[in-house]
Amino acid sequence: MSTVQSVQLTEITPHPSVEYWSVCKVEALYETPFLELVYRAAQVHREYFNPQAIQLSTLMSIKTGGCPEDCGYCPQSARYQTGVQNQQLLDVDEIIAKAKIAKSRGAGRFCMGAAWRGPKPKDMGKVTQIIKAVKELGLETCGTFGLLQDGMAEELKEAGLDYYNHNLDTAPEHYHEVIGTRRFDDRLSTLGKVRKAGLKVCCGGIVGMNETRKERAGLIASLANLDPQPESVPINQLVKVEGTPLVEAEDLDWTEFVRTIAVARITMPKSYVRLSAGRQGMTEEMQAMCFMAGANSIFYGDKLLVTGNPEEDGDQLLMAKLDLEPETEENRKILER
Ligand code: SF4
């Protein structure tokens, strides 16, 4: 089954209203001469967004490690010896203290991650309590809790969750090479529940996991053919962690990562494209090129779940050098979706 067919078979796209992106069409974009591709992406970026405004999100792990899934990139899987310290679901007070700090440092959105295959019904009471408390601080809320059972997305929405993060991880054809404990279609099913409940979708993937360029194009096509397209699209570069199966994955050239950002921007013009995991290993020049190619969101803070992230001071300096500013209601410019 081709990439695009498997996306269309879901309940998410009964009446496609967004431009259809075949894998070939996305591959052709990848093959555009590099500077021409970045230029085109920069033009699209300016059509819908203020290119000086960067949306800042902070990500906190609220339940760490001990996950039963086998994602080959993840140090939180209980199957790999990675040295991650397991931590049960944190208390509301501890999370609120971190959310207040994040807000005082300019974050507009507070993202919470839990290392689960999915929440159990007994977890939902505490999770919804946490979401309500963070929301009361005046922050946008985002959760990444894994696969959702029926009714859970509605409970999260009711508690005040704005976004649900659920990445497609990689292309459908490459999925089984990276993850054996679930299928690509399981992800689509949860995304369908999230949309049906009226939550906004944060959905992206990871590159640098030994996939081919065609498979990278397949991931972007799968994301771009979601209807509606995700509001946020995190593009992650694999962080190779000792003990995980992908620790020896082949390095992706920096230009290929920038191309991926540009292709995401062109195919999903109204979405926030987030420069996510892997940023710590990127030079300032590479990050600047990503912003030029249409990235307009970053994770801000010194931890990205359990791997490092550039320190906030470093982020502030880089943003000052590039004359970028945190996105606010005032400087945001986006056409109505
Ligand atoms: S990525 Fe999520 S689901 Fe996969 S092992 Fe890590 S915590 Fe578990």
Side-chain angles (χ1 to χ4, degrees):
M1 181 180 293
S2 80
T3 304
V4 174
Q5 276 168 335
S6 76
V7 173
Q8 285 182 316
L9 280 176
T10 72
E11 58 188 3
I12 307 170
T13 53
H15 305 293
S17 65
V18 291
E19 182 176 351
Y20 172 73
W21 288 96
S22 66
V23 177
C24 293
K25 217 163 123 185
V26 177
E27 254 191 306
L29 268 185
Y30 264 99
E31 277 151 29
T32 309
F34 181 77
L35 293 177
E36 180 61 23
L37 178 64
V38 171
Y39 177 67
R40 277 180 61 187
Q43 283 179 310
V44 171
H45 188 189
R46 278 149 186 74
E47 243 180 87
Y48 296 100
F49 290 98
N50 171 356
Q52 260 75 56
I54 302 291
Q55 192 274 327
L56 301 182
S57 294
T58 292
L59 176 60
M60 179 182 184
S61 178
I62 63 169
K63 186 266 167 192
T64 306
C67 181
E69 297 286 90
D70 69 349
C71 310
Y73 52 84
C74 182
Q76 300 201 66
S77 169
R79 297 161 192 250
Y80 316 133
Q81 302 300 317
T82 60
V84 165
Q85 294 285 315
N86 294 352
Q87 169 73 63
Q88 284 314 303
L89 188 57
L90 296 174
D91 285 330
V92 183
D93 292 348
E94 201 170 332
I95 297 166
I96 292 306
K98 286 272 165 55
K100 281 183 179 163
I101 295 171
K103 189 179 177 193
S104 72
R105 293 181 181 165
R109 189 178 309 164
F110 194 67
C111 310
M112 294 161 275
W116 284 319
R117 174 175 165 81
K120 303 218 164 45
K122 68 174 170 54
D123 300 316
M124 290 303 285
K126 192 162 171 190
V127 167
T128 52
Q129 206 189 341
I130 291 165
I131 292 164
K132 275 184 196 142
V134 174
K135 185 76 183 167
E136 277 166 16
L137 298 177
L139 282 159
E140 282 190 316
T141 54
C142 178
T144 181
F145 310 134
L147 301 169
L148 296 178
Q149 298 173 23
D150 286 346
M152 287 181 171
E154 284 77 7
E155 279 186 70
L156 296 172
K157 169 81 181 162
E158 177 70 26
L161 194 72
D162 296 299
Y163 287 80
Y164 195 73
N165 164 267
H166 202 60
N167 290 336
L168 288 182
D169 300 311
T170 188
E173 292 77 7
H174 190 56
Y175 210 80
H176 66 283
E177 299 282 347
V178 179
I179 300 149
T181 47
R182 57 172 190 270
R183 294 167 309 134
F184 186 83
D185 282 355
D186 294 328
R187 303 298 271 186
L188 292 176
S189 164
T190 285
L191 287 170
K193 289 174 185 164
V194 165
R195 273 291 182 215
K196 210 161 139 220
L199 290 161
K200 292 183 198 161
V201 168
C202 172
C203 179
I206 309 171
V207 295
M209 299 197 294
N210 292 331
E211 73 283 347
T212 60
R213 176 181 274 183
K214 185 173 184 151
E215 287 164 340
R216 279 188 286 286
L219 167 67
I220 298 293
S222 299
L223 293 166
N225 289 327
L226 293 173
D227 184 12
Q229 294 186 330
E231 281 81 1
S232 276
V233 180
I235 302 291
N236 300 279
Q237 174 150 278
L238 176 70
V239 179
K240 297 182 211 174
V241 180
E242 204 61 53
T244 59
L246 282 167
V247 68
E248 304 285 358
E250 207 176 311
D251 281 337
L252 200 63
D253 190 78
W254 70 273
T255 55
E256 190 67 10
F257 186 83
V258 175
R259 279 182 197 273
T260 303
I261 295 282
V263 168
R265 167 53 63 220
I266 293 168
T267 55
M268 293 171 273
K270 297 180 189 176
S271 305
Y272 285 83
V273 174
R274 182 175 305 135
L275 196 48
S276 301
R279 202 160 61 84
Q280 194 176 41
M282 297 175 193
T283 61
E284 287 191 346
E285 294 86 340
M286 179 178 168
Q287 292 184 59
M289 193 60 103
C290 289
F291 293 132
M292 190 68 200
N296 62 344
S297 171
I298 57 171
F299 274 124
Y300 190 59
D302 63 359
K303 273 264 170 163
L304 211 52
L305 293 179
V306 293
T307 55
N309 202 37
E311 290 181 7
E312 284 164 23
D313 287 353
D315 283 339
Q316 280 172 0
L317 275 174
L318 177 61
M319 286 180 65
K321 280 190 209 178
L322 301 177
D323 301 311
L324 298 173
E325 50 192 38
E327 187 189 75
T328 61
E329 286 291 332
E330 289 70 41
N331 67 15
R332 177 183 297 153
K333 171 194 156 198
I334 180 167
L335 301 184
E336 283 302 308
R337 294 183 71 88

